[in-house]
């Protein structure tokens, strides 16, 4: 009532209800004198007396009714006529026009209040009916289910149409109508529309069901009617069910905890809930499919999988990004790369690969950096640089082909990255020096705002601008030795540069780094010395050049960067189950 009174009082003020040139309205003989002071009155605490006047005429009439004589003390200066009719305190009888206007506003307010009261009564009746229905639902029981039902996963639904099945899962979506409930069930293998009607929709658990509750549903799988759509083209008509674990509603409902536009750090804190979302789970499924496809491609290429250690006492990419820890009183580190170990495997198992976690203590907050990431690394013996490039090209393209040959994976990739087109071979070859020239020709400066020069380590932003502009996969080759790791083979006749390569993909930049490795023990020992690295801890690595050396090369691919490119994700953090970056090690 107060809200209505305030709005209508404001409207009255706009109409300048008060004294005027018209003759004062004649009050009925029994009409009470009610006072309104536009400056000092109060619609909240006023009672209509001179001691406690109202602020507006409408508030006075709402409180006292229409059979009142209104006297107004205007906020501004009184004109001569008002002065003549004003009492000793400055109150003037309301004009006939003013009285008429305020009566109209009063009638409108009363009518509106009546509607509000009727609506409130309806809401109360509805709440009472729902409360009664809820109370009665406690007496509705489905009893034990004695019929046969085969336990299946959602993805097996097409094989069991028109059969009675039981399915377990979580309530992904929920739409409750008067006598029918629609559930979209999720079990990790897919989504299934389920219909609860009749008695199964009248139980207490049915009426209080919440998103993310875990349930067991039994019923018959039916093809959806013509013109209707549902995941898999069928729906479960439920005849018996049970709520196994009810999720909270209200303020704790998952829809209040997780939203796409939520602050990123909150989503990171609630990653355990966020991965239940359709997009996040789709990315993780594609990640699984990609790993499977990579392993299949490696198998076709004849590489053997090995599992090197993650706790090491030597560095691969320099000491500045090592995570160190105490290992039984000795200094040890989390590995930056398994490459050195893979090289030792070549003489015994031949070409090999690993899928292993790597750790980099880089305080980088870019959208393509993680402190822990899945590293796909390979090493090949008796090859040259061109053969290494051809192998990487086949690995990437072959993996994509195998992934998209899987109907479910193709559908998920299309869902995440509509219009995705597999890369075509051969990839564009681009020399480092040519890249420096391209950047300068296109006005793309280095991090200091200056033109790029030979020897620069091309920064991420500049590299990505070039890659996005060319919009094709690029083999960027021949980096200066000063900006690459100590073990990379020098280009014969141009020893200031290395037989190295970065694979750049539009939208994400570098996803693979590789090179030919030094094959000569003397050259490697000299590289240790140049880098200021003691050779003794690397004795086992140097021995590979002593006991039957060979020309060999390899590479490392960041799985999360590959996925960010494939699924068109803004950041690699979306491509990791529980991403770790500077300052983030939870949950």
């Amino acid at each position: 009532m107060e809200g209505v009174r305030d709005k209508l009082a404001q409207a009255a003020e706009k109409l300048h209800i008060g004294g005027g040139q018209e003759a004062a309205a004649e009050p009925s003989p029994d009409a009470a004198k009610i006072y309104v002071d536009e400056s000092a009155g109060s619609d909240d605490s006023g009672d209509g007396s001179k001691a406690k006047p109202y602020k507006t005429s409408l508030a006075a009439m709402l409180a006292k009714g229409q059979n009142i004589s209104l006297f107004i003390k205007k906020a501004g200066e009184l004109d001569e006529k008002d002065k003549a009719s004003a009492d000793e305190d400055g109150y003037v009888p309301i004009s006939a026009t003013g009285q008429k206007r305020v009566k109209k506003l009063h009638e409108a307010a009363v009518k509106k209040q009546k509607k509000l009261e009727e609506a409130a009564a309806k809401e109360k009746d509805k709440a009472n009916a729902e409360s009664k229905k809820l109370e009665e639902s406690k007496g509705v029981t489905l009893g034990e289910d004695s019929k046969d039902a085969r336990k299946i996963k959602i993805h097996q639904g097409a094989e069991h149409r028109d059969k009675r099945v039981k399915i377990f899962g979580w309530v992904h979506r929920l739409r409750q109508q008067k006598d029918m409930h629609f559930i979209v069930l999720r079990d990790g293998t897919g989504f299934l529309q389920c219909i609860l009607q009749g008695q199964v929709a009248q139980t207490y658990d049915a009426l209080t069901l919440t998103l993310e509750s875990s349930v067991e549903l039994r019923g018959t799988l039916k093809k959806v009617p013509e013109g209707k759509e549902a995941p898999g083209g069928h729906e479960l008509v439920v005849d018996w069910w049970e709520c196994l674990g009810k999720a909270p509603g209200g303020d704790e409902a998952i829809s209040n905890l997780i939203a796409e536009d939520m602050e990123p750090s909150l989503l990171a804190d609630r990653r355990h809930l966020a991965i239940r979302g359709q997009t996040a789970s789709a990315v993780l499924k594609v990640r699984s499919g990609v790993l499977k496809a990579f392993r299949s491609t490696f198998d076709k290429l004849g590489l053997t999988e090995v599992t090197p250690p993650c706790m090491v006492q030597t560095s691969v990419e320099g000491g500045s990004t090592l995570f160190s820890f105490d290992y039984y009183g000795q200094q040890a580190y989390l590995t930056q790369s398994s490459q050195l170990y893979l090289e030792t495997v070549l003489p015994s198992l031949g070409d090999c690969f690993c899928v292993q976690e790597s750790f980099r203590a880089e305080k980088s907050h870019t959208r393509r950096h993680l402190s822990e990431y899945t590293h796909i690394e390979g090493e090949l013996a008796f090859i040259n640089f061109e053969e290494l490039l051809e192998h990487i090209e086949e690995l990437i393209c072959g993996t994509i082909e195998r992934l998209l040959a899987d109907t479910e994976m193709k559908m998920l990739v299309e869902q995440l990255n509509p219009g995705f087109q597999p890369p075509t071979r051969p990839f564009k070859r681009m020399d480092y020096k040519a890249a420096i020239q391209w950047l300068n020709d296109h006005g793309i400066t280095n991090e200091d705002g200056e033109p790029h020069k030979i020897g620069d380590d091309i920064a991420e932003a500049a590299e990505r601008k070039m890659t996005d502009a060319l919009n094709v996969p690029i083999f960027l080759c021949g980096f200066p030795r000063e900006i690459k790791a100590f073990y990379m083979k020098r280009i014969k006749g141009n020893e200031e540069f290395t037989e190295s390569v970065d694979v750049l993909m539009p939208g994400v930049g570098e996803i693979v780094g590789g090179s030919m490795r030094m094959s000569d023990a003397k050259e490697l020992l000299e590289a240790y010395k140049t880098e200021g690295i003691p050779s003794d801890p690397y004795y086992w690595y140097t021995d590979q050049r002593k006991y039957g050396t060979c020309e060999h090369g390899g590479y490392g691919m960041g799985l999360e960067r590959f996925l960010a490119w494939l699924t068109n994700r803004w950041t690699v953090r979306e491509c990791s189950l529980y991403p770790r970056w500077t300052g983030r090690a939870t949950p």
Side-chain angles (χ1 to χ4, degrees):
M1 184 67 181
E2 288 181 2
V4 174
R5 181 183 295 169
D6 291 343
K7 289 181 181 178
L8 292 176
Q10 290 168 11
E13 289 175 349
K14 289 179 182 177
L15 290 170
H16 305 291
I17 297 170
Q21 299 301 316
E22 301 89 352
E26 288 294 329
S28 62
D30 60 340
K33 289 185 177 181
I34 301 299
Y35 296 92
V36 174
D37 187 338
E38 294 177 351
S39 296
S42 171
D43 289 342
D44 294 323
S45 60
D47 60 12
S49 66
K50 280 190 177 182
K52 290 184 177 181
Y54 289 106
K55 186 175 181 63
T56 64
S57 301
L58 178 58
M61 197 168 282
L62 285 168
K64 303 295 185 179
Q66 291 192 358
N67 188 30
I68 55 175
S69 293
L70 286 168
F71 291 84
I72 315 298
K73 182 185 282 188
K74 300 176 73 174
E77 287 289 325
L78 295 178
D79 58 26
E80 291 304 317
K81 189 166 184 179
D82 282 339
K83 285 179 182 178
S85 59
D87 66 12
E88 68 276 9
D89 296 310
Y91 284 97
V92 179
I94 191 170
S95 68
T97 303
Q99 181 86 0
K100 187 177 179 180
R101 286 175 180 169
V102 77
K103 278 186 177 182
K104 281 186 177 180
L105 287 171
H106 175 259
E107 287 165 1
V110 170
K111 195 178 290 184
K112 187 167 186 180
Q113 177 62 23
K114 188 178 179 182
K115 284 184 179 179
L116 289 172
E117 288 171 355
E118 288 172 353
K122 284 182 181 178
E123 282 297 315
K124 186 177 180 181
D125 289 344
K126 184 180 176 183
N128 288 336
E130 288 178 352
S131 179
K132 183 181 178 183
K133 185 178 178 181
L134 202 59
E135 193 60 35
E136 290 173 348
S137 72
K138 293 177 181 178
V140 179
T141 56
L142 301 180
E144 290 298 318
D145 179 37
S146 57
K147 303 175 191 174
D148 290 334
R150 183 168 182 180
K151 182 180 176 182
I152 67 167
K153 294 286 189 180
I154 288 175
H155 74 99
Q156 299 171 308
E159 308 161 27
H160 294 84
R161 284 187 184 175
D162 298 318
K163 296 176 183 176
R164 193 165 186 274
V165 298
K166 59 180 173 181
I167 300 178
F168 297 81
W170 290 265
V171 178
H172 186 69
R173 291 198 187 96
L174 176 63
R175 182 161 55 94
Q176 295 170 309
Q177 297 180 348
K178 186 177 180 181
D179 298 312
M180 186 180 292
H181 301 334
F182 292 90
I183 294 173
V184 174
L185 192 70
R186 181 189 74 242
D187 73 348
T189 72
F191 298 89
L192 176 65
Q193 179 169 287
C194 309
I195 300 173
L196 278 65
Q197 54 191 335
Q199 191 178 38
V200 294
Q202 295 166 10
T203 65
Y204 182 79
D205 280 339
L207 298 180
T208 59
L209 193 60
T210 50
L211 292 177
E212 293 305 319
S213 294
S214 53
V215 295
E216 175 187 352
L217 303 176
R218 301 186 189 186
T220 305
L221 275 171
K222 296 286 188 181
K223 185 178 179 182
V224 294
E226 198 69 37
K228 302 288 184 181
E229 290 186 1
H234 47 246
E235 58 193 8
L236 183 68
V237 180
V238 178
D239 57 42
W240 188 93
W241 77 288
E242 183 181 6
C243 183
L244 305 175
K246 187 167 289 183
D251 292 342
E252 287 190 276
I254 193 166
S255 54
N256 290 327
L257 299 180
I258 299 296
E260 285 187 7
D261 58 352
M262 192 168 279
E263 206 277 318
S265 66
L266 280 178
L267 284 177
D269 288 339
R270 299 166 185 170
R271 180 68 175 165
H272 60 295
L273 298 176
I275 57 178
R276 300 184 182 203
Q278 206 157 339
T279 297
S281 62
V283 172
L284 294 176
K285 283 183 182 178
V286 172
R287 179 186 171 105
S288 174
V290 163
L291 284 170
K292 182 179 177 181
F294 267 121
R295 286 190 164 97
S296 178
T297 304
F298 278 125
D299 185 59
K300 184 175 184 296
L301 294 171
L303 278 72
T304 301
E305 183 170 8
V306 294
T307 52
C310 285
M311 296 186 290
V312 301
Q313 289 187 302
T314 52
S315 71
V316 182
E317 301 293 338
S320 64
T321 64
L322 284 168
F323 282 108
S324 62
F325 64 96
D326 179 83
Y327 186 72
Y328 302 110
Q330 300 178 57
Q331 182 84 37
Y333 312 99
L334 295 177
T335 186
Q336 301 163 311
S337 166
S338 297
Q339 174 210 315
L340 305 189
Y341 293 102
L342 290 181
E343 289 187 51
T344 69
V345 175
L346 293 176
S348 58
L349 300 180
D351 300 344
C352 58
F353 77 97
C354 72
V355 179
Q356 193 82 306
E357 299 308 293
S358 285
F359 306 84
R360 303 280 174 94
E362 291 180 89
K363 293 184 178 178
S364 298
H365 291 275
T366 75
R367 58 190 177 101
R368 68 176 193 177
H369 279 91
L370 290 170
S371 297
E372 176 186 6
Y373 65 98
T374 301
H375 214 168
I376 299 175
E377 299 181 85
E379 289 292 322
L380 300 99
F382 302 106
I383 62 166
N384 58 38
F385 187 56
E386 184 58 34
E387 288 171 328
L388 175 64
L389 298 185
E390 289 172 359
H391 168 86
I392 295 172
E393 199 171 69
E394 174 58 31
L395 176 66
I396 293 171
C397 294
T399 295
I400 293 295
E401 287 166 7
R402 286 171 177 79
L403 181 76
L404 298 182
D406 183 311
T407 305
E408 181 189 6
M409 288 297 120
K410 185 175 182 180
M411 181 185 69
L412 289 171
V413 170
E414 184 62 30
Q415 171 192 323
L416 295 164
N417 189 2
F420 172 76
Q421 294 296 318
T424 55
R425 288 177 268 194
F427 291 178
K428 179 180 179 64
R429 265 72 164 166
M430 191 176 200
D431 185 73
Y432 165 85
K433 297 173 192 172
I436 294 292
Q437 186 63 51
W438 191 96
L439 292 168
N440 290 335
D441 289 346
H442 290 80
I444 299 173
T445 59
N446 63 20
E447 289 181 306
D448 298 322
E450 299 174 353
H452 283 86
K453 60 185 182 298
I454 302 299
D456 282 352
D457 190 358
I458 302 172
E460 175 198 356
E463 181 182 81
R464 198 165 60 242
K465 284 180 182 178
M466 179 181 74
T467 310
D468 290 351
L470 295 172
N471 200 32
V472 291
I474 300 169
F475 278 139
L476 185 57
C477 305
F479 290 88
R481 65 178 181 84
E482 290 88 355
I483 62 174
K484 285 297 181 181
F486 68 90
Y487 51 75
M488 291 189 178
K489 189 176 182 65
R490 313 289 190 246
I491 295 175
K492 193 173 182 179
N494 194 9
E495 278 73 16
E496 292 304 306
F497 294 87
T498 57
E499 288 192 323
S500 55
V501 60
D502 282 354
V503 181
L504 312 180
M505 285 295 186
V508 67
E510 180 197 346
I511 65 168
V512 177
S515 75
M516 295 298 291
R517 319 308 193 189
M518 288 180 178
S519 57
D520 182 73
K522 190 179 293 184
E523 184 183 16
L524 183 60
L525 289 169
E526 190 61 37
Y528 292 142
K529 193 180 297 182
T530 301
E531 293 294 321
I533 299 172
S535 60
D536 289 350
Y538 292 88
Y539 71 93
W540 51 274
Y541 182 66
T542 311
D543 275 355
Q544 305 309 306
R545 282 78 181 163
K546 182 178 178 182
Y547 293 92
T549 191
C550 72
E551 293 298 319
H552 63 288
Y555 52 86
M557 172 189 292
L559 175 63
E560 290 79 9
R561 290 189 184 183
F562 182 89
L563 280 166
W565 162 69
L566 174 65
T567 61
N568 194 29
R569 297 300 93 192
W570 171 250
T571 169
V572 293
R573 296 176 187 179
E574 296 180 60
C575 302
S576 173
L577 179 58
Y578 286 99
R580 300 292 187 247
W581 66 89
T582 309
R584 167 67 62 176
T586 55

